[in-house]
mmCIF file of all heavy atoms in Angstrom:
data_model
loop_
_atom_site.group_PDB
_atom_site.id
_atom_site.type_symbol
_atom_site.label_atom_id
_atom_site.label_comp_id
_atom_site.label_asym_id
_atom_site.label_seq_id
_atom_site.Cartn_x
_atom_site.Cartn_y
_atom_site.Cartn_z
ATOM 1 N N TRP Y 177 115.245 -62.477 55.172
ATOM 2 C CA TRP Y 177 115.820 -62.275 53.825
ATOM 3 C C TRP Y 177 116.728 -61.037 53.809
ATOM 4 O O TRP Y 177 116.461 -60.054 54.442
ATOM 5 C CB TRP Y 177 114.719 -62.170 52.773
ATOM 6 C CG TRP Y 177 113.860 -63.369 52.721
ATOM 7 C CD1 TRP Y 177 112.572 -63.484 53.226
ATOM 8 C CD2 TRP Y 177 114.213 -64.635 52.175
ATOM 9 N NE1 TRP Y 177 112.131 -64.737 52.998
ATOM 10 C CE2 TRP Y 177 113.064 -65.472 52.343
ATOM 11 C CE3 TRP Y 177 115.342 -65.149 51.504
ATOM 12 C CZ2 TRP Y 177 113.066 -66.792 51.921
ATOM 13 C CZ3 TRP Y 177 115.307 -66.473 51.072
ATOM 14 C CH2 TRP Y 177 114.175 -67.252 51.283
ATOM 15 N N ARG Y 178 117.782 -61.174 53.039
ATOM 16 C CA ARG Y 178 118.695 -60.057 52.789
ATOM 17 C C ARG Y 178 118.510 -59.546 51.364
ATOM 18 O O ARG Y 178 118.457 -60.293 50.437
ATOM 19 C CB ARG Y 178 120.167 -60.510 52.948
ATOM 20 C CG ARG Y 178 120.416 -61.203 54.275
ATOM 21 C CD ARG Y 178 121.852 -61.697 54.378
ATOM 22 N NE ARG Y 178 122.797 -60.634 54.642
ATOM 23 C CZ ARG Y 178 123.712 -60.216 53.792
ATOM 24 N NH1 ARG Y 178 123.819 -60.775 52.602
ATOM 25 N NH2 ARG Y 178 124.572 -59.254 54.128
ATOM 26 N N GLU Y 179 118.404 -58.216 51.247
ATOM 27 C CA GLU Y 179 118.073 -57.614 49.920
ATOM 28 C C GLU Y 179 119.058 -56.449 49.639
ATOM 29 O O GLU Y 179 119.380 -55.682 50.552
ATOM 30 C CB GLU Y 179 116.636 -57.119 49.888
ATOM 31 C CG GLU Y 179 115.597 -58.201 50.146
ATOM 32 C CD GLU Y 179 114.211 -57.636 50.225
ATOM 33 O OE1 GLU Y 179 114.061 -56.392 50.169
ATOM 34 O OE2 GLU Y 179 113.226 -58.422 50.376
ATOM 35 N N GLY Y 180 119.503 -56.353 48.402
ATOM 36 C CA GLY Y 180 120.346 -55.242 48.012
ATOM 37 C C GLY Y 180 121.738 -55.317 48.576
ATOM 38 O O GLY Y 180 122.142 -56.316 49.178
ATOM 39 N N GLY Y 181 122.513 -54.244 48.418
ATOM 40 C CA GLY Y 181 123.895 -54.176 48.943
ATOM 41 C C GLY Y 181 124.429 -52.796 48.743
ATOM 42 O O GLY Y 181 123.992 -52.037 47.894
ATOM 43 N N PHE Y 182 125.449 -52.482 49.552
ATOM 44 C CA PHE Y 182 126.123 -51.201 49.419
ATOM 45 C C PHE Y 182 127.283 -51.295 48.440
ATOM 46 O O PHE Y 182 127.985 -52.294 48.398
ATOM 47 C CB PHE Y 182 126.658 -50.760 50.803
ATOM 48 C CG PHE Y 182 125.617 -50.210 51.726
ATOM 49 C CD1 PHE Y 182 124.923 -51.066 52.583
ATOM 50 C CD2 PHE Y 182 125.323 -48.864 51.764
ATOM 51 C CE1 PHE Y 182 123.946 -50.553 53.432
ATOM 52 C CE2 PHE Y 182 124.379 -48.353 52.591
ATOM 53 C CZ PHE Y 182 123.663 -49.227 53.445
ATOM 54 N N GLU Y 183 127.503 -50.219 47.674
ATOM 55 C CA GLU Y 183 128.536 -50.226 46.689
ATOM 56 C C GLU Y 183 129.924 -50.349 47.333
ATOM 57 O O GLU Y 183 130.797 -51.045 46.841
ATOM 58 C CB GLU Y 183 128.506 -48.919 45.873
ATOM 59 C CG GLU Y 183 129.542 -48.855 44.741
ATOM 60 C CD GLU Y 183 129.377 -47.587 43.938
ATOM 61 O OE1 GLU Y 183 128.387 -46.861 44.098
ATOM 62 O OE2 GLU Y 183 130.261 -47.335 43.061
ATOM 63 N N THR Y 184 130.116 -49.719 48.463
ATOM 64 C CA THR Y 184 131.413 -49.704 49.151
ATOM 65 C C THR Y 184 131.613 -51.033 49.922
ATOM 66 O O THR Y 184 132.713 -51.480 50.114
ATOM 67 C CB THR Y 184 131.532 -48.549 50.126
ATOM 68 O OG1 THR Y 184 130.404 -48.556 51.024
ATOM 69 C CG2 THR Y 184 131.552 -47.250 49.368
ATOM 70 N N MET Y 185 130.521 -51.638 50.415
ATOM 71 C CA MET Y 185 130.591 -52.892 51.115
ATOM 72 C C MET Y 185 129.452 -53.843 50.655
ATOM 73 O O MET Y 185 128.399 -53.899 51.254
ATOM 74 C CB MET Y 185 130.455 -52.657 52.658
ATOM 75 C CG MET Y 185 131.584 -51.798 53.229
ATOM 76 S SD MET Y 185 131.449 -51.568 55.019
ATOM 77 C CE MET Y 185 131.871 -53.215 55.613
ATOM 78 N N PRO Y 186 129.655 -54.503 49.531
ATOM 79 C CA PRO Y 186 128.602 -55.269 48.904
ATOM 80 C C PRO Y 186 128.131 -56.450 49.725
ATOM 81 O O PRO Y 186 127.044 -56.991 49.498
ATOM 82 C CB PRO Y 186 129.214 -55.772 47.562
ATOM 83 C CG PRO Y 186 130.690 -55.631 47.777
ATOM 84 C CD PRO Y 186 130.915 -54.477 48.710
ATOM 85 N N ASP Y 187 128.915 -56.897 50.699
ATOM 86 C CA ASP Y 187 128.480 -57.990 51.555
ATOM 87 C C ASP Y 187 127.422 -57.564 52.577
ATOM 88 O O ASP Y 187 126.811 -58.426 53.224
ATOM 89 C CB ASP Y 187 129.679 -58.607 52.311
ATOM 90 C CG ASP Y 187 130.580 -59.389 51.383
ATOM 91 O OD1 ASP Y 187 130.089 -59.805 50.295
ATOM 92 O OD2 ASP Y 187 131.769 -59.580 51.708
ATOM 93 N N ARG Y 188 127.220 -56.247 52.714
ATOM 94 C CA ARG Y 188 126.235 -55.760 53.661
ATOM 95 C C ARG Y 188 124.927 -55.460 52.931
ATOM 96 O O ARG Y 188 124.954 -54.677 51.973
ATOM 97 C CB ARG Y 188 126.736 -54.518 54.397
ATOM 98 C CG ARG Y 188 128.033 -54.788 55.184
ATOM 99 C CD ARG Y 188 127.746 -55.702 56.326
ATOM 100 N NE ARG Y 188 128.983 -55.958 57.125
ATOM 101 C CZ ARG Y 188 129.712 -57.030 56.999
ATOM 102 N NH1 ARG Y 188 129.406 -57.976 56.115
ATOM 103 N NH2 ARG Y 188 130.779 -57.193 57.744
ATOM 104 N N ALA Y 189 123.862 -56.006 53.360
ATOM 105 C CA ALA Y 189 122.564 -55.824 52.692
ATOM 106 C C ALA Y 189 121.992 -54.435 53.040
ATOM 107 O O ALA Y 189 122.278 -53.852 54.082
ATOM 108 C CB ALA Y 189 121.569 -56.873 53.195
ATOM 109 N N GLN Y 190 121.192 -53.879 52.089
ATOM 110 C CA GLN Y 190 120.543 -52.636 52.346
ATOM 111 C C GLN Y 190 119.186 -52.819 53.038
ATOM 112 O O GLN Y 190 118.695 -51.881 53.655
ATOM 113 C CB GLN Y 190 120.311 -51.867 51.006
ATOM 114 C CG GLN Y 190 121.559 -51.244 50.453
ATOM 115 C CD GLN Y 190 121.288 -50.346 49.280
ATOM 116 O OE1 GLN Y 190 120.691 -50.767 48.310
ATOM 117 N NE2 GLN Y 190 121.710 -49.114 49.357
ATOM 118 N N ARG Y 191 118.653 -54.005 52.969
ATOM 119 C CA ARG Y 191 117.385 -54.304 53.659
ATOM 120 C C ARG Y 191 117.483 -55.704 54.260
ATOM 121 O O ARG Y 191 117.971 -56.630 53.646
ATOM 122 C CB ARG Y 191 116.184 -54.288 52.687
ATOM 123 C CG ARG Y 191 115.674 -52.915 52.410
ATOM 124 C CD ARG Y 191 114.741 -52.939 51.186
ATOM 125 N NE ARG Y 191 113.638 -53.885 51.350
ATOM 126 C CZ ARG Y 191 112.461 -53.550 51.773
ATOM 127 N NH1 ARG Y 191 112.137 -52.294 52.083
ATOM 128 N NH2 ARG Y 191 111.498 -54.470 51.902
ATOM 129 N N ILE Y 192 116.984 -55.828 55.481
ATOM 130 C CA ILE Y 192 116.817 -57.120 56.140
ATOM 131 C C ILE Y 192 115.344 -57.237 56.528
ATOM 132 O O ILE Y 192 114.802 -56.374 57.234
ATOM 133 C CB ILE Y 192 117.729 -57.249 57.378
ATOM 134 C CG1 ILE Y 192 119.214 -57.257 56.933
ATOM 135 C CG2 ILE Y 192 117.409 -58.537 58.138
ATOM 136 C CD1 ILE Y 192 120.170 -57.354 58.112
ATOM 137 N N VAL Y 193 114.700 -58.294 56.043
ATOM 138 C CA VAL Y 193 113.253 -58.460 56.247
ATOM 139 C C VAL Y 193 113.038 -59.729 57.063
ATOM 140 O O VAL Y 193 113.455 -60.837 56.624
ATOM 141 C CB VAL Y 193 112.494 -58.521 54.920
ATOM 142 C CG1 VAL Y 193 110.997 -58.643 55.208
ATOM 143 C CG2 VAL Y 193 112.776 -57.297 54.079
ATOM 144 N N PHE Y 194 112.450 -59.580 58.241
ATOM 145 C CA PHE Y 194 112.101 -60.743 59.091
ATOM 146 C C PHE Y 194 110.613 -60.926 59.069
ATOM 147 O O PHE Y 194 109.848 -59.977 59.333
ATOM 148 C CB PHE Y 194 112.628 -60.488 60.498
ATOM 149 C CG PHE Y 194 112.197 -61.516 61.491
ATOM 150 C CD1 PHE Y 194 112.952 -62.678 61.660
ATOM 151 C CD2 PHE Y 194 111.069 -61.399 62.253
ATOM 152 C CE1 PHE Y 194 112.593 -63.640 62.583
ATOM 153 C CE2 PHE Y 194 110.660 -62.355 63.133
ATOM 154 C CZ PHE Y 194 111.418 -63.489 63.331
ATOM 155 N N ARG Y 195 110.163 -62.153 58.784
ATOM 156 C CA ARG Y 195 108.727 -62.449 58.716
ATOM 157 C C ARG Y 195 108.335 -63.651 59.551
ATOM 158 O O ARG Y 195 109.048 -64.641 59.599
ATOM 159 C CB ARG Y 195 108.309 -62.708 57.266
ATOM 160 C CG ARG Y 195 108.407 -61.532 56.315
ATOM 161 C CD ARG Y 195 107.753 -61.823 54.979
ATOM 162 N NE ARG Y 195 107.879 -60.736 54.068
ATOM 163 C CZ ARG Y 195 108.783 -60.636 53.114
ATOM 164 N NH1 ARG Y 195 109.669 -61.628 52.988
ATOM 165 N NH2 ARG Y 195 108.834 -59.593 52.312
ATOM 166 N N LYS Y 196 107.180 -63.483 60.204
ATOM 167 C CA LYS Y 196 106.499 -64.610 60.834
ATOM 168 C C LYS Y 196 105.095 -64.645 60.263
ATOM 169 O O LYS Y 196 104.720 -63.802 59.414
ATOM 170 C CB LYS Y 196 106.479 -64.429 62.374
ATOM 171 C CG LYS Y 196 107.829 -64.456 62.986
ATOM 172 C CD LYS Y 196 107.783 -64.333 64.485
ATOM 173 C CE LYS Y 196 107.276 -65.600 65.144
ATOM 174 N NZ LYS Y 196 107.436 -65.573 66.633
#
Side-chain angles (χ1 to χ4, degrees):
W177 300 104
R178 307 177 76 247
E179 301 174 356
F182 283 89
E183 183 177 352
T184 54
M185 298 182 71
D187 289 338
R188 300 293 181 260
Q190 285 189 304
R191 279 166 55 97
I192 294 178
V193 182
F194 174 86
R195 292 190 181 98
K196 296 182 74 171

